[in-house]
């Protein structure tokens, strides 16, 4: 089963996208709906609220009087904590029950308005953000019957557009018509979400042909989302995680593949985090257990390699051991290139030439064999440290 995250500012069009995903076969877990369900008449949730706040929070028919509850609960931080202490665990439990009951192979879409605010984004292999600019959203909300000052006040209380963009693996633009949005959401589902689910299920990674593209300023943010996922999934075993390789060097043309280096204490630790990385979208690539050694200490060039299951964001995740020469070189290499424009130019030429070779990675190796001592000498001379 794959769980993806869906969010968007109020009025952005999230409901349209979640309805489309449901049409396509997704199971929607909607935080707002669940928080209503757990305090319906006859629930333990409603009974607990009455115990805590008194029965004047009920309507004559026994249902919850939300404004009356809000008036009491928002009087003090303590009252608010009491309310959250009752409702949040019940919502969490219900959410888990729904997730546990779906058939194998289902894609669960977690519709979470406050995905930024709750910091949950890195738990999902894919986060979809629905976007429209603020004025468009205000206009649409007014049409839906919300007073303008209410619409603006709610937007102000939410995360900013910029914060939402930062967690977005996919940004669905809802500046056009609703039909456009539905079409974008359907394409996303069939071209990216379902293949991602299948790749995670089978432990497969996406591969890209050798094609150089101009440096993309969005690569840094893509790398950061991968790093956040890895840190969240693999916890304390990750000593550090860095964006490395060509896409980390400003201005350098590169293959559209993000390289991340995960530093661990040992190859045993690398093996122990393999399952967690796979679950969050980065399955292991077997038989790729060493870099080409550039010194005689060949045993200390071992590593583990993972790739990306998401067809929309190819990546290599190199898991290497702290202090080994390959780990150090991966950190040194982008620093050396960034500081030496002439070497950078030379490297681009080497990459261009390698594109027509039978094996792209292999064709670059002779250059790397010479680059390694040069980069090491540069580190020595400048006092560079990881
Ligand atoms: P959200 O669920 O993100 O808060 P909604 O999906 O409810 O937002 O959209 C807010 C309002 O704007 C709704 O009344 C919806 O019908 C309308 N709406 C959504 N997308 C469009 C669009 N592309 N053009 C015009 N109106 C739209």
């Amino acid at each position: 089963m794959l769980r993806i995250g869906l969010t968007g500012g109020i009025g952005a069009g999230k409901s349209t996208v979640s309805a489309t995903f449901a049409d396509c076969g997704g199971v929607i877990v909607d935080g707002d709906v669940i928080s209503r369900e757990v305090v319906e008449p006859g629930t333990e949730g409603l009974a607990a609220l009455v115990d805590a706040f008194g029965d004047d929070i009920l309507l004559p028919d026994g249902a919850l009087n939300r404004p009356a509850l809000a008036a009491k609960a928002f009087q003090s931080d303590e009252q608010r904590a009491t309310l959250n202490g009752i409702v949040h665990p019940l919502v969490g439990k219900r959410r888990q029950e729904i997730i546990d009951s779906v058939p194998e192979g289902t894609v669960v879409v977690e519709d979470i308005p406050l995905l930024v605010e709750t910091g949950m984004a890195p738990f999902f292999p894919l986060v979809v953000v629905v976007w429209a600019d603020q004025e468009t959203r205000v206009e649409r909300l007014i049409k839906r019957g919300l007073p303008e000052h209410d619409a603006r006040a709610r937007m102000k209380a939410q995360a900013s557009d910029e914060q939402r963009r930062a967690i977005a693996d996919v940004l669905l633009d809802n500046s056009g018509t609703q039909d456009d949005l539905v079409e974008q959401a359907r394409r996303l589902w069939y071209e990216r979400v379902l293949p991602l689910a299948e790749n995670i299920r089978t432990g497969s990674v996406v591969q890209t042909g050798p094609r150089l593209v101009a440096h993309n300023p969005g690569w840094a943010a893509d790398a950061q989302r991968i790093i956040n996922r890895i840190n969240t999934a693999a916890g304390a075993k990750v000593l550090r995680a860095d964006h490395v390789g060509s896409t980390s060097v400003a201005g350098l043309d590169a293959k559209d593949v993000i390289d991340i280096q995960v530093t661990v204490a040992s190859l045993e630790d690398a093996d122990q985090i393999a399952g967690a990385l796979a679950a969050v979208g980065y399955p292991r690539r077997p038989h790729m257990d060493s870099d080409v050694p550039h010194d005689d200490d060949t045993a200390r060039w071992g590593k583990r390699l993972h790739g990306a299951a998401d067809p929309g964001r190819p990546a290599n995740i190199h898991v290497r051991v702290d202090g080994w020469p390959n780990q150090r070189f991966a950190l040194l290499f982008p620093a050396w290139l960034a500081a030496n424009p002439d070497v950078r130019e030379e490297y681009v030429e080497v990459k261009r030439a390698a594109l027509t070779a039978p094996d792209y990675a292999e064709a670059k190796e002779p250059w790397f064999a010479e680059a390694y001592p040069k980069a090491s000498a540069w580190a020595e001379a400048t006092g560079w440290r990881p």
Side-chain angles (χ1 to χ4, degrees):
M1 188 215 8
L2 170 66
R3 289 163 69 182
I4 65 171
L6 172 65
T7 193
I10 179 168
K14 197 166 52 64
S15 313
T16 308
V17 174
S18 82
T20 306
F21 286 167
D23 274 351
C24 293
V27 169
I28 314 298
V29 178
D30 182 327
D32 287 346
V33 171
I34 296 176
S35 35
R36 273 183 212 116
E37 256 178 40
V38 298
V39 294
E40 271 168 7
T43 57
E44 64 169 301
L46 189 56
L49 288 181
V50 170
D51 275 350
F53 295 100
D55 55 14
D56 49 343
I57 61 163
L58 295 179
L59 294 164
D61 68 358
L64 180 62
N65 181 342
R66 288 178 178 276
L69 174 63
K72 289 193 167 193
F74 291 99
Q75 268 169 14
S76 69
D77 287 347
E78 208 183 350
Q79 297 278 63
R80 200 191 315 228
T82 303
L83 173 63
N84 288 340
I86 293 170
V87 175
H88 284 183
L90 292 170
V91 170
K93 192 169 145 228
R94 181 72 194 122
R95 188 187 286 279
Q96 199 55 49
E97 276 170 13
I98 297 172
I99 290 166
D100 291 343
S101 70
V102 302
E104 177 67 30
T106 307
V107 177
V108 171
V109 179
E110 297 215 36
D111 180 332
I112 307 181
L114 302 184
L115 188 51
V116 172
E117 293 84 340
T118 53
M120 295 274 289
F123 289 97
F124 298 102
L126 192 79
V127 169
V128 178
V129 173
V130 192
W131 186 88
D133 70 48
Q134 292 228 0
E135 290 316 303
T136 308
R137 290 157 57 200
V138 169
E139 243 170 67
R140 288 176 185 166
L141 288 170
I142 293 172
K143 270 199 195 137
R144 194 170 78 181
L146 198 68
E148 177 168 351
H149 63 271
D150 257 18
R152 291 195 190 276
R154 288 194 203 186
M155 281 178 194
K156 243 181 138 168
Q158 290 188 342
S160 67
D161 288 350
E162 205 176 313
Q163 289 171 309
R164 240 179 254 112
R165 265 176 203 275
I167 64 159
D169 297 295
V170 183
L171 203 63
L172 291 179
D173 182 0
N174 187 22
S175 310
T177 66
Q178 219 152 350
D179 285 351
D180 278 349
L181 181 63
V182 169
E183 181 52 33
Q184 282 184 71
R186 292 186 73 87
R187 278 230 317 272
L188 172 65
W189 187 266
Y190 292 109
E191 290 173 9
R192 191 158 171 185
V193 175
L194 289 187
L196 168 62
E198 181 62 7
N199 284 343
I200 290 185
R201 194 181 68 77
T202 59
S204 312
V205 306
V206 295
Q207 307 267 18
T208 48
R211 198 170 73 84
L212 294 188
V213 298
H215 183 86
N216 176 349
W219 280 336
D222 289 0
Q224 191 57 52
R225 281 193 297 279
I226 298 174
I227 288 172
N228 292 346
R229 283 195 180 103
I230 288 170
N231 280 326
T232 304
K237 292 236 187 293
V238 176
L239 302 180
R240 59 185 288 174
D242 298 272
H243 184 195
V244 297
S246 293
T247 58
S248 73
V249 180
L252 189 62
D253 296 353
K255 270 179 32 168
D256 190 10
V257 179
I258 303 283
D259 285 281
I260 301 293
Q261 172 165 274
V262 177
T263 298
V264 293
S266 63
L267 288 179
E268 289 71 40
D269 277 6
D271 290 334
Q272 278 179 22
I273 65 173
L277 296 190
V280 79
Y282 308 105
R284 167 121 184 249
R285 295 178 63 181
H287 318 302
M288 312 274 281
D289 289 351
S290 181
D291 294 300
V292 175
H294 294 305
D295 66 17
D296 297 337
D297 198 0
T298 54
R300 300 209 314 160
W301 288 79
K303 70 166 175 183
R304 298 292 181 260
L305 184 65
H306 292 242
D310 175 7
R313 181 60 275 164
N316 290 318
I317 317 293
H318 311 264
V319 187
R320 297 194 178 103
V321 176
D322 195 19
W324 283 13
N326 56 350
Q327 184 262 355
R328 185 182 148 87
F329 184 53
L331 296 173
L332 166 59
F333 183 65
W336 179 55
L337 287 190
N340 295 278
D342 48 325
V343 183
R344 206 161 62 219
E345 302 277 306
E346 190 183 297
Y347 183 47
V348 172
E349 285 315 312
V350 169
K351 290 208 279 190
R352 288 225 172 85
L355 289 177
T356 52
D359 183 325
Y360 176 77
E362 206 178 281
K364 294 188 304 180
E365 277 309 324
W367 184 80
F368 269 102
E370 286 178 18
Y372 183 72
K374 285 186 204 159
S376 304
W378 175 83
E380 185 92 2
T382 58
W384 175 88
R385 299 234 165 292

